[in-house]
Amino acid sequence: MRVPLLAGNWKMYKTVGEAVELVEALLAGLGTLSDREVLVCPPYTALDRIGALLSEKPIGLGAQDVFYEAEGAYTGAIAPQMLRDVGCTYAIVGHSERRQYFGDTDALVNRKLHAALANDLRPIMCVGESKPQRDSGQAESIVVAQVRAGLANVTVAQMQSVVIAYEPIWAIGTGDTATPDDAQAMHAAIRKTLTDLFGVETASSVRIQYGGSVKPDNVDELMSQPDIDGALVGGASLKADSFLRIVHFQ
Ligand code: PGA
């Protein structure tokens, strides 16, 4: 019932020309997919061009972040309406790199999430623990707290548009993936939290992606877990052949 969402987070990679080349290769190799959803999140500078290329195409467009105000004197920030204007339907919020390098707190993530929802952008809210937190047995409590804080004041109706991405920080860009069992256990804990907050019906309809060194050779096993509903892919989404293999997981 949950349509798997395979999303490429391109981070700070690709000029506009390179982005166009990658998207053209993805469109050429995608084929017909009726049982899954595909999304790319290029850097801001490429969104307009890629948005035009993807109009009426089976790949969606997302932003890597969003600011919470509609307009104003916020140098360097991008408003949700601006993202809608270039064709985005999703926005990532709370990526661990935003939390680590740009100071995004749970409260800020919550504000961004509400701004996205208010403007018809579906938020992909990232959560995940660090290595020391996992090693000291705090992984689940940290992640559950991030989920609760990030989703503060979200209604059941709004929750239908939200995607959660569980991305253990120690697995991002390291080649070190969570085992499918560990990932499944955390996804189940997240879904239980969603059940506490929104009820079982809503919780069972929300997609929870896994992210952190998802690759062609581990995607099938990860996706076979009952509570893993997609992947948020960094490094392996930068090349058409590897992202296409991930999209075509079995
Ligand atoms: P990675 O990044 O696939 O390169 O580990 C995932 C992410 O940060 O979303």
Side-chain angles (χ1 to χ4, degrees), residues 1-2 4 180-181 183-185 187-188 191 203-204 206-208 220-230:
M1 278 199 3
R2 298 186 294 265
D181 285 349
Q184 166 57 29
H187 282 231
R191 204 174 303 284
S204 58
V206 172
R207 291 175 295 180
I208 307 175
D220 296 338
E221 210 185 346
L222 286 162
M223 289 303 298
S224 71
Q225 300 299 316
D227 285 294
I228 299 185
D229 310 313

Side-chain angles (χ1 to χ4, degrees), residues 3 10 27 42 57 68 74 76 82 93 98 130 140 146-148 161 178 205 209 211 225 234 238 245:
V3 178
W10 295 2
L27 287 170
K57 295 288 195 304
Y68 52 76
Y74 301 103
M82 295 170 173
V93 296
R98 296 289 323 171
S130 66
E140 189 175 314
Q146 287 174 339
V147 169
R148 287 181 169 274
S161 307
S205 71
Q209 297 178 300
Q225 300 299 316
L238 296 172
R245 172 61 187 85

Side-chain angles (χ1 to χ4, degrees), residues 1-231:
M1 278 199 3
R2 298 186 294 265
V3 178
L5 175 62
L6 293 312
N9 170 16
W10 295 2
K11 308 192 180 183
M12 199 174 73
Y13 292 98
K14 307 283 180 197
T15 62
V16 176
E18 290 164 349
V20 167
E21 208 174 297
L22 176 53
V23 157
E24 282 173 344
L26 292 176
L27 287 170
L30 199 63
T32 2
L33 295 171
S34 52
D35 59 348
R36 55 200 74 188
E37 190 179 343
V38 183
L39 181 73
V40 291
C41 303
Y44 288 133
T45 47
L47 286 177
D48 188 31
R49 274 286 286 285
I50 299 301
L53 260 181
L54 290 181
S55 111
E56 316 285 316
K57 295 288 195 304
I59 299 180
L61 185 70
Q64 297 174 17
D65 190 34
V66 59
F67 195 57
Y68 52 76
E69 292 290 356
E71 60 180 8
Y74 301 103
T75 301
I78 303 286
Q81 294 85 340
M82 295 170 173
L83 298 175
R84 291 285 311 170
D85 184 46
V86 293
C88 290
T89 54
Y90 282 87
I92 298 172
V93 296
H95 191 281
S96 62
E97 288 148 17
R98 296 289 323 171
R99 296 178 191 257
Q100 184 180 350
Y101 302 120
F102 302 94
D104 287 19
T105 59
D106 283 329
L108 187 56
V109 172
N110 179 249
R111 251 181 121 169
K112 290 179 171 186
L113 180 129
H114 278 284
L117 286 170
N119 289 283
D120 248 347
L121 277 173
R122 290 190 250 181
I124 298 177
M125 187 181 85
C126 302
V127 294
E129 82 287 358
S130 66
K131 184 77 176 139
Q133 288 166 337
R134 172 153 288 260
D135 290 345
S136 61
Q138 298 177 80
E140 189 175 314
S141 62
I142 295 281
V143 167
V144 165
Q146 287 174 339
V147 169
R148 287 181 169 274
L151 296 178
N153 301 314
V154 170
T155 66
V156 165
Q158 287 175 319
M159 200 57 208
Q160 315 296 334
S161 307
V162 177
V163 176
I164 310 276
Y166 168 57
E167 299 204 307
I169 296 169
W170 48 270
I172 295 177
T174 57
D176 211 2
T177 324
T179 65
D181 285 349
D182 284 348
Q184 166 57 29
M186 189 62 85
H187 282 231
I190 293 170
R191 204 174 303 284
K192 168 154 189 323
T193 307
L194 297 178
T195 305
D196 296 343
L197 292 171
F198 302 101
V200 66
E201 203 180 315
T202 301
S204 58
S205 71
V206 172
R207 291 175 295 180
I208 307 175
Q209 297 178 300
Y210 171 78
S213 298
V214 175
K215 300 275 187 281
D217 63 7
N218 60 24
V219 67
D220 296 338
E221 210 185 346
L222 286 162
M223 289 303 298
S224 71
Q225 300 299 316
D227 285 294
I228 299 185
D229 310 313

